[in-house]
Every structure is written in C-alpha cells, then in structure tokens.
PDB file of all heavy atoms in Angstrom:
ATOM      1  N   ASN A  27     -23.117   4.466  16.787  1.00 92.00           N
ATOM      2  CA  ASN A  27     -23.417   3.224  17.525  1.00 92.00           C
ATOM      3  C   ASN A  27     -24.836   2.708  17.278  1.00 92.00           C
ATOM      4  O   ASN A  27     -25.449   2.124  18.158  1.00 92.00           O
ATOM      5  CB  ASN A  27     -23.174   3.418  19.025  1.00 92.00           C
ATOM      6  CG  ASN A  27     -21.733   3.722  19.324  1.00 92.00           C
ATOM      7  OD1 ASN A  27     -20.829   3.073  18.803  1.00 92.00           O
ATOM      8  ND2 ASN A  27     -21.501   4.736  20.131  1.00 92.00           N
ATOM      9  N   LYS A  28     -25.324   2.917  16.071  1.00 92.00           N
ATOM     10  CA  LYS A  28     -26.654   2.421  15.717  1.00 92.00           C
ATOM     11  C   LYS A  28     -26.579   1.186  14.839  1.00 92.00           C
ATOM     12  O   LYS A  28     -27.584   0.563  14.557  1.00 92.00           O
ATOM     13  CB  LYS A  28     -27.455   3.523  15.013  1.00 92.00           C
ATOM     14  CG  LYS A  28     -27.762   4.682  15.943  1.00 92.00           C
ATOM     15  CD  LYS A  28     -28.545   5.766  15.266  1.00 92.00           C
ATOM     16  CE  LYS A  28     -28.837   6.870  16.283  1.00 92.00           C
ATOM     17  NZ  LYS A  28     -29.514   8.003  15.715  1.00 92.00           N
ATOM     18  N   LYS A  29     -25.367   0.839  14.396  1.00 92.00           N
ATOM     19  CA  LYS A  29     -25.158  -0.356  13.584  1.00 92.00           C
ATOM     20  C   LYS A  29     -23.922  -1.074  14.110  1.00 92.00           C
ATOM     21  O   LYS A  29     -22.868  -0.452  14.269  1.00 92.00           O
ATOM     22  CB  LYS A  29     -24.963   0.024  12.113  1.00 92.00           C
ATOM     23  CG  LYS A  29     -24.674  -1.180  11.219  1.00 92.00           C
ATOM     24  CD  LYS A  29     -24.725  -0.815   9.766  1.00 92.00           C
ATOM     25  CE  LYS A  29     -24.393  -1.962   8.847  1.00 92.00           C
ATOM     26  NZ  LYS A  29     -24.875  -3.263   9.224  1.00 92.00           N
ATOM     27  N   PRO A  30     -24.042  -2.367  14.367  1.00 91.00           N
ATOM     28  CA  PRO A  30     -22.867  -3.118  14.847  1.00 91.00           C
ATOM     29  C   PRO A  30     -21.827  -3.294  13.735  1.00 91.00           C
ATOM     30  O   PRO A  30     -22.138  -3.204  12.554  1.00 91.00           O
ATOM     31  CB  PRO A  30     -23.453  -4.457  15.283  1.00 91.00           C
ATOM     32  CG  PRO A  30     -24.725  -4.593  14.526  1.00 91.00           C
ATOM     33  CD  PRO A  30     -25.227  -3.209  14.267  1.00 91.00           C
ATOM     34  N   VAL A  31     -20.612  -3.537  14.146  1.00 92.00           N
ATOM     35  CA  VAL A  31     -19.497  -3.737  13.223  1.00 92.00           C
ATOM     36  C   VAL A  31     -19.187  -5.224  13.144  1.00 92.00           C
ATOM     37  O   VAL A  31     -18.992  -5.869  14.169  1.00 92.00           O
ATOM     38  CB  VAL A  31     -18.258  -2.959  13.719  1.00 92.00           C
ATOM     39  CG1 VAL A  31     -17.057  -3.235  12.847  1.00 92.00           C
ATOM     40  CG2 VAL A  31     -18.553  -1.483  13.774  1.00 92.00           C
ATOM     41  N   ASP A  32     -19.146  -5.760  11.928  1.00 90.00           N
ATOM     42  CA  ASP A  32     -18.744  -7.168  11.779  1.00 90.00           C
ATOM     43  C   ASP A  32     -17.222  -7.240  11.644  1.00 90.00           C
ATOM     44  O   ASP A  32     -16.541  -6.214  11.529  1.00 90.00           O
ATOM     45  CB  ASP A  32     -19.450  -7.834  10.598  1.00 90.00           C
ATOM     46  CG  ASP A  32     -19.120  -7.200   9.255  1.00 90.00           C
ATOM     47  OD1 ASP A  32     -18.041  -6.590   9.112  1.00 90.00           O
ATOM     48  OD2 ASP A  32     -19.944  -7.330   8.327  1.00 90.00           O
ATOM     49  N   SER A  33     -16.690  -8.438  11.676  1.00 88.00           N
ATOM     50  CA  SER A  33     -15.233  -8.605  11.684  1.00 88.00           C
ATOM     51  C   SER A  33     -14.585  -8.063  10.415  1.00 88.00           C
ATOM     52  O   SER A  33     -13.493  -7.486  10.466  1.00 88.00           O
ATOM     53  CB  SER A  33     -14.861 -10.068  11.900  1.00 88.00           C
ATOM     54  OG  SER A  33     -15.422 -10.872  10.901  1.00 88.00           O
ATOM     55  N   GLU A  34     -15.243  -8.206   9.281  1.00 91.00           N
ATOM     56  CA  GLU A  34     -14.674  -7.699   8.025  1.00 91.00           C
ATOM     57  C   GLU A  34     -14.568  -6.172   8.059  1.00 91.00           C
ATOM     58  O   GLU A  34     -13.541  -5.593   7.684  1.00 91.00           O
ATOM     59  CB  GLU A  34     -15.535  -8.145   6.843  1.00 91.00           C
ATOM     60  CG  GLU A  34     -14.937  -7.795   5.503  1.00 91.00           C
ATOM     61  CD  GLU A  34     -15.772  -8.324   4.341  1.00 91.00           C
ATOM     62  OE1 GLU A  34     -16.395  -9.381   4.467  1.00 91.00           O
ATOM     63  OE2 GLU A  34     -15.784  -7.638   3.307  1.00 91.00           O
ATOM     64  N   MET A  35     -15.617  -5.503   8.512  1.00 94.00           N
ATOM     65  CA  MET A  35     -15.601  -4.040   8.600  1.00 94.00           C
ATOM     66  C   MET A  35     -14.576  -3.585   9.640  1.00 94.00           C
ATOM     67  O   MET A  35     -13.828  -2.627   9.416  1.00 94.00           O
ATOM     68  CB  MET A  35     -16.988  -3.499   8.947  1.00 94.00           C
ATOM     69  CG  MET A  35     -17.039  -1.982   9.112  1.00 94.00           C
ATOM     70  SD  MET A  35     -16.535  -1.031   7.652  1.00 94.00           S
ATOM     71  CE  MET A  35     -17.981  -1.243   6.632  1.00 94.00           C
ATOM     72  N   PHE A  36     -14.521  -4.277  10.772  1.00 93.00           N
ATOM     73  CA  PHE A  36     -13.561  -3.928  11.817  1.00 93.00           C
ATOM     74  C   PHE A  36     -12.139  -4.000  11.269  1.00 93.00           C
ATOM     75  O   PHE A  36     -11.327  -3.094  11.452  1.00 93.00           O
ATOM     76  CB  PHE A  36     -13.739  -4.860  13.013  1.00 93.00           C
ATOM     77  CG  PHE A  36     -13.173  -4.343  14.311  1.00 93.00           C
ATOM     78  CD1 PHE A  36     -13.339  -5.074  15.469  1.00 93.00           C
ATOM     79  CD2 PHE A  36     -12.492  -3.149  14.405  1.00 93.00           C
ATOM     80  CE1 PHE A  36     -12.833  -4.630  16.681  1.00 93.00           C
ATOM     81  CE2 PHE A  36     -11.973  -2.682  15.609  1.00 93.00           C
ATOM     82  CZ  PHE A  36     -12.148  -3.435  16.750  1.00 93.00           C
ATOM     83  N   SER A  37     -11.846  -5.051  10.554  1.00 93.00           N
ATOM     84  CA  SER A  37     -10.530  -5.228   9.960  1.00 93.00           C
ATOM     85  C   SER A  37     -10.225  -4.107   8.963  1.00 93.00           C
ATOM     86  O   SER A  37      -9.120  -3.554   8.945  1.00 93.00           O
ATOM     87  CB  SER A  37     -10.470  -6.588   9.258  1.00 93.00           C
ATOM     88  OG  SER A  37      -9.223  -6.774   8.659  1.00 93.00           O
ATOM     89  N   SER A  38     -11.211  -3.741   8.166  1.00 95.00           N
ATOM     90  CA  SER A  38     -11.031  -2.655   7.191  1.00 95.00           C
ATOM     91  C   SER A  38     -10.779  -1.319   7.889  1.00 95.00           C
ATOM     92  O   SER A  38      -9.953  -0.517   7.434  1.00 95.00           O
ATOM     93  CB  SER A  38     -12.260  -2.540   6.292  1.00 95.00           C
ATOM     94  OG  SER A  38     -12.423  -3.702   5.525  1.00 95.00           O
ATOM     95  N   ILE A  39     -11.489  -1.076   8.969  1.00 96.00           N
ATOM     96  CA  ILE A  39     -11.307   0.165   9.734  1.00 96.00           C
ATOM     97  C   ILE A  39      -9.886   0.237  10.284  1.00 96.00           C
ATOM     98  O   ILE A  39      -9.213   1.258  10.173  1.00 96.00           O
ATOM     99  CB  ILE A  39     -12.351   0.258  10.878  1.00 96.00           C
ATOM    100  CG1 ILE A  39     -13.746   0.505  10.292  1.00 96.00           C
ATOM    101  CG2 ILE A  39     -11.974   1.342  11.884  1.00 96.00           C
ATOM    102  CD1 ILE A  39     -14.889   0.303  11.275  1.00 96.00           C
ATOM    103  N   LEU A  40      -9.425  -0.860  10.870  1.00 95.00           N
ATOM    104  CA  LEU A  40      -8.066  -0.894  11.421  1.00 95.00           C
ATOM    105  C   LEU A  40      -7.027  -0.647  10.335  1.00 95.00           C
ATOM    106  O   LEU A  40      -6.060   0.093  10.543  1.00 95.00           O
ATOM    107  CB  LEU A  40      -7.798  -2.236  12.104  1.00 95.00           C
ATOM    108  CG  LEU A  40      -8.561  -2.492  13.402  1.00 95.00           C
ATOM    109  CD1 LEU A  40      -8.385  -3.941  13.843  1.00 95.00           C
ATOM    110  CD2 LEU A  40      -8.107  -1.535  14.491  1.00 95.00           C
ATOM    111  N   GLU A  41      -7.241  -1.258   9.178  1.00 96.00           N
ATOM    112  CA  GLU A  41      -6.290  -1.108   8.075  1.00 96.00           C
ATOM    113  C   GLU A  41      -6.280   0.324   7.528  1.00 96.00           C
ATOM    114  O   GLU A  41      -5.228   0.898   7.276  1.00 96.00           O
ATOM    115  CB  GLU A  41      -6.639  -2.082   6.951  1.00 96.00           C
ATOM    116  CG  GLU A  41      -5.621  -2.124   5.841  1.00 96.00           C
ATOM    117  CD  GLU A  41      -5.952  -3.171   4.802  1.00 96.00           C
ATOM    118  OE1 GLU A  41      -6.427  -4.257   5.162  1.00 96.00           O
ATOM    119  OE2 GLU A  41      -5.733  -2.878   3.619  1.00 96.00           O
ATOM    120  N   LEU A  42      -7.452   0.922   7.376  1.00 97.00           N
ATOM    121  CA  LEU A  42      -7.548   2.259   6.804  1.00 97.00           C
ATOM    122  C   LEU A  42      -7.136   3.361   7.776  1.00 97.00           C
ATOM    123  O   LEU A  42      -6.359   4.250   7.434  1.00 97.00           O
ATOM    124  CB  LEU A  42      -8.987   2.531   6.325  1.00 97.00           C
ATOM    125  CG  LEU A  42      -9.254   3.941   5.785  1.00 97.00           C
ATOM    126  CD1 LEU A  42      -8.458   4.176   4.503  1.00 97.00           C
ATOM    127  CD2 LEU A  42     -10.740   4.152   5.556  1.00 97.00           C
ATOM    128  N   LEU A  43      -7.646   3.298   8.993  1.00 97.00           N
ATOM    129  CA  LEU A  43      -7.463   4.404   9.937  1.00 97.00           C
ATOM    130  C   LEU A  43      -6.342   4.186  10.940  1.00 97.00           C
ATOM    131  O   LEU A  43      -5.905   5.126  11.605  1.00 97.00           O
ATOM    132  CB  LEU A  43      -8.773   4.677  10.682  1.00 97.00           C
ATOM    133  CG  LEU A  43      -9.957   5.058   9.790  1.00 97.00           C
ATOM    134  CD1 LEU A  43     -11.212   5.225  10.624  1.00 97.00           C
ATOM    135  CD2 LEU A  43      -9.658   6.296   8.978  1.00 97.00           C
ATOM    136  N   GLY A  44      -5.887   2.950  11.089  1.00 96.00           N
ATOM    137  CA  GLY A  44      -4.857   2.664  12.074  1.00 96.00           C
ATOM    138  C   GLY A  44      -5.452   2.583  13.467  1.00 96.00           C
ATOM    139  O   GLY A  44      -6.674   2.570  13.644  1.00 96.00           O
ATOM    140  N   GLY A  45      -4.589   2.563  14.458  1.00 94.00           N
ATOM    141  CA  GLY A  45      -5.045   2.385  15.826  1.00 94.00           C
ATOM    142  C   GLY A  45      -5.122   0.911  16.174  1.00 94.00           C
ATOM    143  O   GLY A  45      -4.887   0.049  15.326  1.00 94.00           O
ATOM    144  N   THR A  46      -5.440   0.647  17.415  1.00 92.00           N
ATOM    145  CA  THR A  46      -5.536  -0.736  17.869  1.00 92.00           C
ATOM    146  C   THR A  46      -6.991  -1.127  18.092  1.00 92.00           C
ATOM    147  O   THR A  46      -7.844  -0.264  18.342  1.00 92.00           O
ATOM    148  CB  THR A  46      -4.775  -0.951  19.197  1.00 92.00           C
ATOM    149  OG1 THR A  46      -5.405  -0.168  20.226  1.00 92.00           O
ATOM    150  CG2 THR A  46      -3.307  -0.556  19.069  1.00 92.00           C
ATOM    151  N   ALA A  47      -7.241  -2.420  18.025  1.00 91.00           N
ATOM    152  CA  ALA A  47      -8.587  -2.920  18.301  1.00 91.00           C
ATOM    153  C   ALA A  47      -9.001  -2.544  19.721  1.00 91.00           C
ATOM    154  O   ALA A  47     -10.164  -2.190  19.959  1.00 91.00           O
ATOM    155  CB  ALA A  47      -8.639  -4.431  18.106  1.00 91.00           C
ATOM    156  N   ASP A  48      -8.068  -2.589  20.654  1.00 88.00           N
ATOM    157  CA  ASP A  48      -8.370  -2.224  22.042  1.00 88.00           C
ATOM    158  C   ASP A  48      -8.872  -0.789  22.148  1.00 88.00           C
ATOM    159  O   ASP A  48      -9.749  -0.486  22.952  1.00 88.00           O
ATOM    160  CB  ASP A  48      -7.140  -2.410  22.943  1.00 88.00           C
ATOM    161  CG  ASP A  48      -6.853  -3.872  23.245  1.00 88.00           C
ATOM    162  OD1 ASP A  48      -7.795  -4.671  23.277  1.00 88.00           O
ATOM    163  OD2 ASP A  48      -5.671  -4.203  23.438  1.00 88.00           O
ATOM    164  N   TYR A  49      -8.336   0.096  21.350  1.00 91.00           N
ATOM    165  CA  TYR A  49      -8.794   1.490  21.352  1.00 91.00           C
ATOM    166  C   TYR A  49     -10.248   1.578  20.874  1.00 91.00           C
ATOM    167  O   TYR A  49     -11.089   2.200  21.526  1.00 91.00           O
ATOM    168  CB  TYR A  49      -7.898   2.352  20.461  1.00 91.00           C
ATOM    169  CG  TYR A  49      -8.421   3.764  20.284  1.00 91.00           C
ATOM    170  CD1 TYR A  49      -8.361   4.679  21.333  1.00 91.00           C
ATOM    171  CD2 TYR A  49      -8.982   4.178  19.086  1.00 91.00           C
ATOM    172  CE1 TYR A  49      -8.841   5.967  21.182  1.00 91.00           C
ATOM    173  CE2 TYR A  49      -9.460   5.471  18.925  1.00 91.00           C
ATOM    174  CZ  TYR A  49      -9.400   6.353  19.980  1.00 91.00           C
ATOM    175  OH  TYR A  49      -9.895   7.625  19.828  1.00 91.00           O
ATOM    176  N   TYR A  50     -10.541   0.942  19.765  1.00 92.00           N
ATOM    177  CA  TYR A  50     -11.905   0.995  19.224  1.00 92.00           C
ATOM    178  C   TYR A  50     -12.909   0.286  20.131  1.00 92.00           C
ATOM    179  O   TYR A  50     -14.093   0.599  20.109  1.00 92.00           O
ATOM    180  CB  TYR A  50     -11.959   0.383  17.820  1.00 92.00           C
ATOM    181  CG  TYR A  50     -11.280   1.231  16.771  1.00 92.00           C
ATOM    182  CD1 TYR A  50     -10.008   0.925  16.308  1.00 92.00           C
ATOM    183  CD2 TYR A  50     -11.907   2.355  16.246  1.00 92.00           C
ATOM    184  CE1 TYR A  50      -9.377   1.709  15.346  1.00 92.00           C
ATOM    185  CE2 TYR A  50     -11.282   3.143  15.281  1.00 92.00           C
ATOM    186  CZ  TYR A  50     -10.018   2.809  14.843  1.00 92.00           C
ATOM    187  OH  TYR A  50      -9.408   3.592  13.890  1.00 92.00           O
ATOM    188  N   MET A  51     -12.419  -0.642  20.951  1.00 89.00           N
ATOM    189  CA  MET A  51     -13.302  -1.363  21.873  1.00 89.00           C
ATOM    190  C   MET A  51     -13.409  -0.663  23.227  1.00 89.00           C
ATOM    191  O   MET A  51     -14.123  -1.114  24.110  1.00 89.00           O
ATOM    192  CB  MET A  51     -12.810  -2.800  22.067  1.00 89.00           C
ATOM    193  CG  MET A  51     -12.819  -3.631  20.792  1.00 89.00           C
ATOM    194  SD  MET A  51     -14.436  -3.721  20.009  1.00 89.00           S
ATOM    195  CE  MET A  51     -15.325  -4.659  21.207  1.00 89.00           C
ATOM    196  N   GLY A  52     -12.683   0.435  23.394  1.00 86.00           N
ATOM    197  CA  GLY A  52     -12.781   1.214  24.622  1.00 86.00           C
ATOM    198  C   GLY A  52     -11.939   0.705  25.774  1.00 86.00           C
ATOM    199  O   GLY A  52     -12.114   1.137  26.906  1.00 86.00           O
ATOM    200  N   ARG A  53     -11.001  -0.177  25.493  1.00 82.00           N
ATOM    201  CA  ARG A  53     -10.163  -0.719  26.568  1.00 82.00           C
ATOM    202  C   ARG A  53      -8.970   0.161  26.896  1.00 82.00           C
ATOM    203  O   ARG A  53      -8.375   0.036  27.964  1.00 82.00           O
ATOM    204  CB  ARG A  53      -9.672  -2.118  26.193  1.00 82.00           C
ATOM    205  CG  ARG A  53     -10.826  -3.109  26.067  1.00 82.00           C
ATOM    206  CD  ARG A  53     -10.331  -4.513  25.947  1.00 82.00           C
ATOM    207  NE  ARG A  53      -9.888  -4.949  27.264  1.00 82.00           N
ATOM    208  CZ  ARG A  53      -9.091  -5.966  27.465  1.00 82.00           C
ATOM    209  NH1 ARG A  53      -8.630  -6.662  26.463  1.00 82.00           N
ATOM    210  NH2 ARG A  53      -8.735  -6.307  28.685  1.00 82.00           N
ATOM    211  N   VAL A  54      -8.581   1.041  25.975  1.00 83.00           N
ATOM    212  CA  VAL A  54      -7.457   1.950  26.193  1.00 83.00           C
ATOM    213  C   VAL A  54      -7.808   3.323  25.633  1.00 83.00           C
ATOM    214  O   VAL A  54      -8.677   3.445  24.776  1.00 83.00           O
ATOM    215  CB  VAL A  54      -6.146   1.432  25.534  1.00 83.00           C
ATOM    216  CG1 VAL A  54      -5.693   0.130  26.149  1.00 83.00           C
ATOM    217  CG2 VAL A  54      -6.299   1.295  24.035  1.00 83.00           C
ATOM    218  N   GLU A  55      -7.129   4.341  26.134  1.00 84.00           N
ATOM    219  CA  GLU A  55      -7.383   5.700  25.661  1.00 84.00           C
ATOM    220  C   GLU A  55      -6.436   6.103  24.530  1.00 84.00           C
ATOM    221  O   GLU A  55      -6.770   6.945  23.726  1.00 84.00           O
ATOM    222  CB  GLU A  55      -7.248   6.696  26.821  1.00 84.00           C
ATOM    223  CG  GLU A  55      -8.310   6.513  27.884  1.00 84.00           C
ATOM    224  CD  GLU A  55      -9.732   6.664  27.348  1.00 84.00           C
ATOM    225  OE1 GLU A  55      -9.992   7.600  26.576  1.00 84.00           O
ATOM    226  OE2 GLU A  55     -10.571   5.817  27.690  1.00 84.00           O
ATOM    227  N   ASP A  56      -5.256   5.527  24.508  1.00 86.00           N
ATOM    228  CA  ASP A  56      -4.277   5.829  23.466  1.00 86.00           C
ATOM    229  C   ASP A  56      -4.579   4.960  22.249  1.00 86.00           C
ATOM    230  O   ASP A  56      -4.572   3.738  22.346  1.00 86.00           O
ATOM    231  CB  ASP A  56      -2.871   5.533  23.993  1.00 86.00           C
ATOM    232  CG  ASP A  56      -1.769   5.902  23.015  1.00 86.00           C
ATOM    233  OD1 ASP A  56      -1.975   5.819  21.791  1.00 86.00           O
ATOM    234  OD2 ASP A  56      -0.680   6.275  23.490  1.00 86.00           O
ATOM    235  N   PRO A  57      -4.825   5.569  21.081  1.00 91.00           N
ATOM    236  CA  PRO A  57      -5.193   4.783  19.901  1.00 91.00           C
ATOM    237  C   PRO A  57      -4.112   3.838  19.406  1.00 91.00           C
ATOM    238  O   PRO A  57      -4.399   2.926  18.643  1.00 91.00           O
ATOM    239  CB  PRO A  57      -5.487   5.831  18.826  1.00 91.00           C
ATOM    240  CG  PRO A  57      -5.453   7.142  19.465  1.00 91.00           C
ATOM    241  CD  PRO A  57      -4.833   7.006  20.811  1.00 91.00           C
ATOM    242  N   TYR A  58      -2.877   4.046  19.834  1.00 89.00           N
ATOM    243  CA  TYR A  58      -1.781   3.277  19.267  1.00 89.00           C
ATOM    244  C   TYR A  58      -1.130   2.296  20.235  1.00 89.00           C
ATOM    245  O   TYR A  58      -0.048   1.800  19.981  1.00 89.00           O
ATOM    246  CB  TYR A  58      -0.732   4.234  18.688  1.00 89.00           C
ATOM    247  CG  TYR A  58      -1.363   5.166  17.684  1.00 89.00           C
ATOM    248  CD1 TYR A  58      -1.643   6.490  18.008  1.00 89.00           C
ATOM    249  CD2 TYR A  58      -1.746   4.701  16.434  1.00 89.00           C
ATOM    250  CE1 TYR A  58      -2.265   7.328  17.094  1.00 89.00           C
ATOM    251  CE2 TYR A  58      -2.373   5.527  15.518  1.00 89.00           C
ATOM    252  CZ  TYR A  58      -2.626   6.837  15.852  1.00 89.00           C
ATOM    253  OH  TYR A  58      -3.257   7.656  14.957  1.00 89.00           O
ATOM    254  N   ILE A  59      -1.799   2.013  21.336  1.00 84.00           N
ATOM    255  CA  ILE A  59      -1.253   1.065  22.305  1.00 84.00           C
ATOM    256  C   ILE A  59      -2.337   0.048  22.658  1.00 84.00           C
ATOM    257  O   ILE A  59      -3.516   0.369  22.677  1.00 84.00           O
ATOM    258  CB  ILE A  59      -0.719   1.808  23.559  1.00 84.00           C
ATOM    259  CG1 ILE A  59       0.135   0.880  24.420  1.00 84.00           C
ATOM    260  CG2 ILE A  59      -1.835   2.416  24.362  1.00 84.00           C
ATOM    261  CD1 ILE A  59       0.950   1.628  25.467  1.00 84.00           C
TER     262      ILE A  59
END
C-alpha cells in the first residue's frame, strides 16, 4: 500500500489473478463474490 493502483493496473490484476473488484477494495471478504 505504498503505491496507488491506476485503472489499467487494476484491470490487469483482475484479469491475471481473478477475484472481484469489491474484494480488492475491501468491500467483501470472499474474493469471488
């Protein structure tokens, strides 16, 4: 958490690792919902 994520990187992370944006943003505990 020392470097912010831009939309392009966020999109790449979702594509590579899977999970939902809500999970990475801390809104849910289950990575796939």
Side-chain angles (χ1 to χ4, degrees):
N27 297 314
K28 294 180 179 176
K29 177 170 178 38
V31 175
D32 62 25
S33 58
E34 186 177 328
M35 178 59 75
F36 200 177
S37 179
S38 296
I39 290 167
L40 290 170
E41 187 176 322
L42 176 66
L43 300 177
T46 64
D48 285 330
Y49 173 72
Y50 289 101
M51 297 303 293
R53 296 190 75 199
V54 296
E55 294 301 316
D56 184 328
Y58 304 103
I59 193 166

